[in-house]
Amino acid sequence: MNYTIDELKNWLKENLNEERYEHSLGTAECAKKLASDLKLNEEKAYLAGLVHDCAKCFDKNKTNEILKNLELVCGEYDNPKTHHAPVGAYFAKKEFGIQDDEILSAVRWHTIGKPDMTLFEKIIFLADKIEKRTRPKDYAEPIRTIYQNEGMNKALLACYKCTIKSLTDRNLTICTATIDIYNELIKNLSKT
């Protein structure tokens, strides 16, 4: 890696707005806690959480220039709010020198997820949604409770239910991957 954690924090502080910087710190802290709960590498989870939104505040031109080099899944092209995830993974590798494929994949998929997510990818996905610094308590607290009482997959299902409801309430398209993941979670949970 080309940066220390402190240097990454400084870069993020200079390149993100204040709320996004706080969210990145919150996601890193939450990811570390989730990794600890699940006996995975806490430092690696912290790093992934820290950089997951590194491209969130890029201007549209920079984002679009990087997107030309990337392959997106169905629906991602239509929603600019998700572009920062693949762009962020690309940037984390090129600029920060992060070579760990697990970290890069978790950054890549933290917005929409993907079928058959690894436990590490799930940690970063969930930490992004439930961190305590900036996420609204009325949204995040019920999902935190589900995670604590019923586990990771039930918490993820709750996230997807909220996402799908929000998208349908606003008459927005739903990425087919979101539907696939929702269906996969329902099927897997019905087997337990």
Side-chain angles (χ1 to χ4, degrees):
M1 194 164 77
N2 302 336
Y3 289 69
T4 65
I5 293 295
D6 286 340
E7 288 169 337
L8 279 174
K9 286 180 182 177
N10 287 335
W11 188 96
L12 293 168
K13 192 168 189 136
E14 291 173 11
N15 290 278
L16 300 177
N17 63 41
E18 187 176 336
E19 182 179 358
R20 188 59 47 188
Y21 177 69
E22 283 298 313
H23 168 66
S24 296
L25 295 177
T27 301
E29 293 160 358
C30 185
K32 183 176 181 177
K33 168 72 170 82
L34 294 173
S36 174
D37 291 349
L38 299 166
K39 301 193 181 353
L40 293 180
N41 187 313
E42 295 174 39
E43 288 75 27
K44 192 163 139 173
Y46 185 89
L47 175 59
L50 189 63
V51 302
H52 83 287
D53 270 354
C54 65
K56 185 72 173 180
C57 295
F58 285 178
D59 68 44
K60 191 176 182 178
N61 291 334
K62 184 173 186 172
T63 298
N64 287 337
E65 189 60 36
I66 294 172
L67 280 174
K68 290 178 188 175
N69 300 309
L70 306 177
E71 185 177 324
L72 301 183
V73 296
C74 178
E76 280 186 306
Y77 289 106
D78 301 332
N79 188 352
K81 288 183 142 197
T82 65
H83 291 171
H84 72 281
V87 170
Y90 177 88
F91 189 80
K93 183 174 186 174
K94 297 294 184 191
E95 173 64 25
F96 302 145
I98 296 172
Q99 299 298 316
D100 186 302
D101 289 336
E102 200 168 31
I103 291 172
L104 296 172
S105 184
V107 171
R108 166 64 180 95
W109 297 109
H110 83 269
T111 54
I112 61 170
K114 66 175 184 149
D116 298 317
M117 279 192 286
T118 67
L119 188 53
F120 191 81
E121 290 165 337
K122 290 176 181 181
I123 285 172
I124 305 309
F125 181 93
L126 187 60
D128 177 47
K129 310 306 184 267
I130 66 169
E131 58 87 6
K132 293 183 177 183
R133 287 183 181 234
T134 65
R135 291 304 189 204
K137 192 172 185 175
D138 62 333
Y139 166 80
E141 192 57 39
I143 297 171
R144 284 187 211 114
T145 301
I146 291 168
Y147 166 75
Q148 291 166 351
N149 296 330
E150 301 179 65
M152 175 65 77
N153 286 337
K154 289 240 176 141
L156 290 176
L157 181 61
C159 288
Y160 280 98
K161 283 180 178 180
C162 289
T163 297
I164 291 168
K165 181 177 182 338
S166 172
L167 291 169
T168 57
D169 287 350
R170 295 179 290 153
N171 292 319
L172 297 173
T173 60
I174 301 172
C175 177
T176 55
T178 299
I179 296 166
D180 291 343
I181 298 160
Y182 174 83
N183 288 338
E184 176 185 275
L185 287 165
I186 290 286
K187 287 176 189 171
N188 289 340
L189 287 167
S190 70
K191 294 176 188 174
T192 57

